[in-house]
Amino acid sequence: MSTSSAAASAGLKTIKQILPAPRPHWVGDGFNVFPVFANKAFTQELSPFLMFDYASPKKFPINTGRPKGVGQHPHRGFETVTLAFQGEVEHADSLGNVGVIGSGDVQWMTAARGIIHQEFHSNDFSKRGGVFEMCQLWLNLPAKDKMTPPKYQEILKKDIDNAVSPLYEYSKDEEGCGAKADLEEGCVRVIAGKFGEATGPASTFTQIDMWDITINSANKSYEFQTVAGNNVIVFVRRGEIEVQGKPVGSQGVAIMKRDENTKVVIEAKEEKSQVLVLAGEPIEEPISAQGPFVMNTRQEIMQANMDFQSGNFGT
């Protein structure tokens, strides 16, 4: 039996491609990020996920001047999801939302028909300095939701701590899969969607699973059940892992084939490896993206630019 047919018979998803860590670049003066999706960004291959920037741990000195970050800029047609792992991010937008998220928190902003916002290191973080680590995802919206009112979800660590699930050890025995769970060996922080008995606090427009995973034990395999037909992405924040037996290093990403198989098996090769699993139902619609706007047609992009220039943005 071939490797692919054996994987299919066991319900294991197969890997479509492994992308190595890309070269980082600066966004504004506060975020030195890896463009994780590289040339796969804004393609149907990863739908509903559009873009993924990861700022690996970086120490910033005390800053007594203007906080570092990105000043006011518009968005339309999608959502931004910011996960803070270390340090603090301060957000302000045209709806009047102002908030600071710190270690373990998530900022989920639905730009929809239009929002203008800014993101900086928080004042407190700037004054004390320290290690900064975060990531930001862009999530597409279906055409029917692209012009809905914008909104903002501040999801605090305590909210996610109520949706923590233990890892489920993988067994090749079909009857034993997922039978053994152990919180001490690691855990899954469920930000959106479900894992095991846990449901994440984020409200989403389409079916999405977003799991922040810590694997404490090396050389043990753990099983992750995804939804049939979803696009599934495995990103390594820290450490080194094997996905379906294939090595993926730090800041690397494994893109799974979109099929009816559902099982993803991850084995950490280093203790306390940290992984993000992103899975979601693809949005089968055209993607037209330019700068801060993601719509379905070029005409809609032109309209977004005109609305922003004329001051009618978000209305």
Side-chain angles (χ1 to χ4, degrees):
M1 185 181 290
S2 69
T3 301
S4 60
S5 59
S9 66
L12 293 174
K13 297 188 77 65
T14 52
I15 293 176
K16 182 176 183 180
Q17 189 174 3
I18 294 175
L19 304 178
R23 297 180 108 183
H25 66 88
W26 283 93
V27 175
D29 61 0
F31 311 121
N32 189 31
V33 302
F34 291 88
V36 174
F37 290 165
N39 62 356
K40 303 291 183 183
F42 303 101
T43 67
Q44 285 289 352
E45 276 190 76
L46 303 183
S47 176
F49 305 98
L50 295 166
M51 190 193 77
F52 183 0
D53 280 346
Y54 172 67
S56 61
K58 180 178 179 60
K59 188 169 184 178
F60 283 85
I62 292 171
N63 173 23
T64 57
R66 184 173 183 247
K68 296 181 181 297
V70 181
Q72 289 191 343
H73 56 285
H75 288 307
R76 174 179 280 181
F78 64 101
E79 301 181 287
T80 68
V81 182
T82 304
L83 283 64
F85 301 112
Q86 300 181 75
E88 293 179 347
V89 180
E90 185 165 346
H91 162 98
D93 63 38
S94 52
L95 297 178
N97 295 309
V98 177
V100 175
I101 59 169
S103 177
D105 300 336
V106 174
Q107 167 196 294
W108 198 296
M109 186 186 77
T110 303
R113 69 187 180 204
I115 200 167
I116 301 170
H117 79 138
Q118 61 187 33
E119 299 163 294
F120 289 97
H121 296 179
S122 73
N123 284 317
D124 287 345
F125 178 79
S126 298
K127 289 174 182 176
R128 66 175 182 267
V131 177
F132 188 88
E133 178 190 9
M134 57 82 72
C135 75
Q136 185 172 95
L137 289 152
W138 287 16
L139 288 176
N140 204 7
L141 289 171
K144 66 183 180 61
D145 298 315
K146 283 185 177 293
M147 294 299 286
T148 56
K151 66 177 184 177
Y152 175 82
Q153 299 176 71
E154 183 180 59
I155 304 171
L156 301 180
K157 181 178 182 296
K158 64 181 178 61
D159 302 319
I160 302 170
D161 285 347
N162 292 325
V164 168
S165 175
L167 295 177
Y168 288 80
E169 196 166 350
Y170 174 67
S171 169
K172 292 182 181 178
D173 175 5
E174 191 69 24
E175 296 300 319
C177 287
K180 181 182 177 184
D182 191 342
L183 194 58
E184 290 185 0
E185 296 201 2
C187 67
V188 181
R189 300 174 71 240
V190 185
I191 296 165
K194 296 183 177 181
F195 181 81
E197 298 299 316
T199 300
S203 171
T204 64
F205 285 82
T206 58
Q207 183 268 312
I208 290 169
D209 290 314
M210 189 177 297
W211 305 328
D212 178 17
I213 302 165
T214 298
I215 304 176
N216 293 329
S217 299
N219 303 314
K220 288 188 178 181
S221 296
Y222 300 96
E223 178 182 316
F224 300 86
Q225 282 279 2
T226 65
V227 177
N230 272 8
N231 279 324
V232 179
I233 301 156
V234 181
F235 171 70
V236 185
R237 269 181 58 210
R238 186 170 293 116
E240 184 176 339
I241 67 171
E242 287 186 355
V243 180
Q244 318 299 56
K246 302 294 184 182
V248 186
S250 290
Q251 283 79 66
V253 65
I255 301 170
M256 313 306 292
K257 285 187 178 179
R258 181 185 166 195
D259 54 32
E260 294 305 303
N261 293 320
T262 58
K263 296 177 187 175
V264 177
V265 176
I266 297 176
E267 178 180 331
K269 308 311 291 183
E270 296 180 15
E271 293 182 353
K272 298 184 178 179
S273 290
Q274 294 176 307
V275 178
L276 285 174
V277 171
L278 311 170
E281 179 184 2
I283 299 171
E284 304 283 8
E285 296 173 356
I287 297 171
S288 182
Q290 183 182 64
F293 308 130
V294 182
M295 302 300 289
N296 296 107
T297 67
R298 178 63 184 164
Q299 290 76 13
E300 289 171 333
I301 293 291
M302 293 173 64
Q303 186 64 53
N305 276 295
M306 288 189 290
D307 289 345
F308 178 62
Q309 295 297 330
S310 65
N312 294 324
F313 201 65
T315 60

